Amino acid sequence: MLAEPHSEQVGVEPLLELDTVSRVYGTGDATVYALRDVSLRIMPGDFVSIVGPSGSGKSTMLGLLGCLDIPTSGTIIVGGKTVTGLDDAERTEVRGRTIGFVFQQFHLIPHLDAVGNVETALLYRGLSRAERRLRAMNALESVGLGLRQDHRPVQLSGGEQQRVALARALVTEPKILLADEPTGALDSQNAEKVMELLTNLQSPERAVVIVTHAADVADAAYRKVSMRDGRIVSDVTRVR
Amino acid sequence: MKTARDLLRVAVTGLYARKVRTLLLLLGPMIGVAAIIAAVGLTDSAKGDLKAKVNQLGTNLIEVAASSSFGSKDPTLPEDVIPRAENVLTLKSVAQIRELSNIVVTPYNEATDKYEAVPIPVLASDTRLPSVLEVKLISGRWLNGFDDSTVTRSAVIGIGLARQFSYLPGEVRTIELDGIRYGVVGVLSEVELEPSFDNAVFISFPSAKADFVTTAKESDKVLPNKLYVRSVVGAEKITAEALRVAINLGGQDELTTDIKSEALQLAAQSDQQIKLIVVSMGILASIVGGVGIANVMSISVIQRSAEIGIRRALGHTRSIIASQFLLEALFIGLLGGICGVVLGILSIFVGATIAGWVFVLAPWLIPAGIALAMVISVIAGLYPSVRAARLEPLETLRLG
Ligand SMILES: Nc1ncnc2c1ncn2[C@@H]1O[C@H](COP(=O)(O)OP(=O)(O)OP(=O)(O)O)[C@@H](O)[C@H]1O
Ligand SMILES: [Mg+2]
């Protein structure tokens, strides 16, 4: 397997940029440096895996990349726009417009059926109900669950639930897809299916970032960022 | 606009998906509003027939009677009493009468002995009396200007007298007043505010003067001794006061005024204390219901924290989350209020039917009851909604 340091393409704007970002939890004796002076650029077309031991700051970094959290210091730039310093509503707007999330626990809304869960991502965007439904159905079909539209989460297997979550993440056509242990709660067969879908989602305009413990998941990515004690210790891109 | 529509849909779906919880939440405001509506409705219905009568008869009839501080036998009002009374701005209409004394009324000449024992009142009246009293004639007509100007011996009799004399409607009959034969031209229907009129005979002032002034003796004029006045509704007391001044013209107080429906109105008043107690209990029940809503919704916010987190991650702002919970509370209030009003009306209906009362419900109680439920629910939902909005998405999602 050939590997070389990640090289930046000239003339292409990064989708996401962390500039000497730190995230500190607690104060005094209880102070925890979850992230120390981390700098990272994620380019369009990137397919990144973030690996590292437990507690090394992977989820913390993903939360910051997804504008779900504010860094203690440093700057975060999303799509050319500095989001540090924006207020909550503005960050929420950036998040809704550019970022899709997939979580280990799926986090589907239990009382909504599959298509309803996907539609939730399209609410408050000025879309008509029919338009929303159409787009949600298309997204469900793209993850192979078109026939399960009226099933509620309890009526779906773990793998199917994660695919609904995937449909919900991609229905807004985000530039950046962030996944935290997306296969962590799945058996190998379902994990494989979800990984296949995630791999297909990567495109020249979009970046996919996956936090994972699983070696095979990490190896599927072209770029591998390794972390330890809140720092990035290696960042390698595999030649395609 | 579309945001509002989306919010509405989310709130309704959320409530519909958790039917049992929604139903339990409804109970609080529902019972409270039902209690208030039933309390007000039942206490009002208990006096419903009297209230209806007050409404029908009007509350604005005032009687002005001549009285004499010197104890003279037949006190009278001044001749120009009508123009004087009409100076009162709150007066709507006025009629005058004179109670004639000691006239023996018989259906025919031979029956004098029988009817002398039970005196039948004979009243000289002007042409406006029925319109001021707001009573109709059962048959025939009232005394008119023609009777006045030609001094025709026309009489109108009360309904009680018509029954007593077995008068058939439309029948051509006469009546003897001190042996003078009068033609009965009409029968007045029941005068509920002046029951004595039901047994009275009414003749015109000119006839009274022509036939009975020698009997009346004290003067060669027939002066009125009573006025019936309709005032502007709500201005009864002021009108009565003003009439005394206007008629006496600053002279000695020689008349009394009486607002005819005052006693009836008093009797028709609902038992305010019972009403107050039950309404307070209803408000208390609504507040307890509100506390219940606040409780259940707070728990719900914790239970649904993951849902809130994912919505925030998907781009829903804090204010959207808060609005969504507030709207759920608002709907609970609306539904609870409507159910409460329906339940309340039902209990009034059942209660009134069992007790044999007339169903009475002030219409404004319906929107007021629903509004109360909504206000209480929204206030109750305020705290949980703010808590929901304050949740940090990262904490509720607990990334792996
Ligand atoms: N809310 C918090 N309060 C205090 N400390 C926190 C909080 N969140 C994370 N930490 C700490 O920050 C460090 C990094 O946590 P993070 O969740 O990013 O690790 P991770 O690499 O995702 O681990 P894992 O592989 O177990 O998911 C850990 O030491 C953790 O204890
Ligand atoms: Mg983690």
Side-chain angles (χ1 to χ4, degrees), chain B residues 152-180:
Chain B
T152 315
R153 284 180 176 138
S154 302
V156 173
I157 59 175
I159 176 140
L161 199 61
R163 287 204 191 99
Q164 197 184 338
F165 286 180
S166 311
Y167 178 87
L168 301 173
E171 183 191 5
V172 180
R173 276 281 288 267
T174 56
I175 195 166
E176 310 260 336
L177 306 179
D178 270 354
I180 303 165

Side-chain angles (χ1 to χ4, degrees), chain B residues 61-82:
Chain B
L61 185 70
I62 302 165
E63 182 193 282
V64 181
S67 70
S68 175
S69 38
F70 304 114
S72 92
K73 225 177 87 217
D74 278 318
T76 54
L77 294 166
E79 196 178 359
D80 59 345
V81 65
I82 296 256

Side-chain angles (χ1 to χ4, degrees), chain B residues 255-272:
Chain B
L255 52 88
T256 59
T257 52
D258 178 23
I259 300 167
K260 296 301 279 186
S261 53
E262 225 171 21
L264 189 63
Q265 251 181 307
L266 222 60
Q269 240 155 45
S270 305
D271 195 324
Q272 294 299 327

Side-chain angles (χ1 to χ4, degrees), chain A residues 25-26 32 34 52-61 181 213, chain B residues 395 399-400:
Chain A
Y25 288 113
V32 178
S54 187
S56 56
K58 308 182 294 291
S59 295
T60 302
M61 190 159 85
E181 308 268 12
H213 273 116
Chain B
E395 273 159 33
L399 299 184

Side-chain angles (χ1 to χ4, degrees), chain A:
Chain A
M1 192 175 80
L2 266 163
E4 62 177 38
H6 178 65
S7 60
E8 271 159 34
Q9 297 117 296
V10 188
V12 179
E13 282 282 304
L15 284 174
L16 266 175
E17 200 172 346
L18 301 188
D19 185 11
T20 52
V21 165
S22 295
R23 179 67 168 96
V24 184
Y25 288 113
T27 50
D29 283 351
T31 305
V32 178
Y33 272 82
L35 229 51
R36 286 172 201 264
D37 297 330
V38 168
S39 294
L40 180 73
R41 290 178 149 202
I42 290 173
M43 309 303 291
D46 261 356
F47 188 18
V48 189
S49 69
I50 300 175
V51 295
S54 187
S56 56
K58 308 182 294 291
S59 295
T60 302
M61 190 159 85
L62 205 75
L64 288 167
L65 288 171
C67 302
L68 288 170
D69 197 9
I70 309 165
T72 311
S73 66
T75 312
I76 300 173
I77 300 161
V78 178
K81 187 172 185 172
T82 307
V83 293
T84 33
L86 292 185
D87 69 20
D88 190 87
E90 290 165 327
R91 266 188 296 127
T92 303
E93 197 272 326
V94 171
R95 182 163 69 230
R97 186 160 39 81
T98 49
I99 297 162
F101 291 94
V102 177
F103 305 99
Q104 182 175 5
Q105 286 88 7
F106 326 136
H107 288 312
L108 296 180
I109 298 172
H111 71 260
L112 297 176
D113 59 15
V115 72
N117 265 286
V118 180
E119 275 186 59
T120 302
L122 296 174
L123 286 168
Y124 315 117
R125 288 166 190 258
L127 293 174
S128 76
R129 195 176 177 225
E131 170 85 21
R132 210 157 56 207
R133 176 129 308 207
L134 184 75
R135 284 170 64 172
M137 278 309 297
N138 286 342
L140 269 184
E141 267 153 31
S142 73
V143 298
L145 288 175
L147 296 172
R148 300 300 201 95
Q149 59 155 105
D150 55 354
H151 285 52
R152 287 195 291 124
V154 287
Q155 297 167 304
L156 297 168
S157 75
E160 287 165 341
Q161 287 187 55
Q162 191 62 304
R163 276 146 68 192
V164 174
L166 210 55
R168 179 179 63 189
L170 62 88
V171 74
T172 55
E173 293 166 5
K175 285 274 182 304
I176 304 145
L177 202 78
L178 302 178
D180 198 354
E181 308 268 12
T183 61
L186 303 177
D187 61 55
S188 58
Q189 211 177 331
N190 277 311
E192 215 168 284
K193 175 84 183 151
V194 167
M195 273 314 294
E196 188 190 318
L197 288 166
L198 269 173
T199 312
N200 291 341
L201 279 175
Q202 187 260 344
S203 77
E205 293 80 38
R206 178 184 285 145
V208 177
V209 180
I210 303 173
V211 166
T212 186
H213 273 116
D216 52 341
V217 172
D219 290 342
Y222 307 127
R223 182 179 168 194
K224 189 162 157 184
V225 174
S226 303
M227 297 188 67
R228 187 175 306 246
D229 297 331
R231 296 182 205 273
I232 293 175
V233 290
S234 82
D235 183 350
V236 286
T237 302
R238 179 154 56 86
V239 176
R240 297 176 202 187

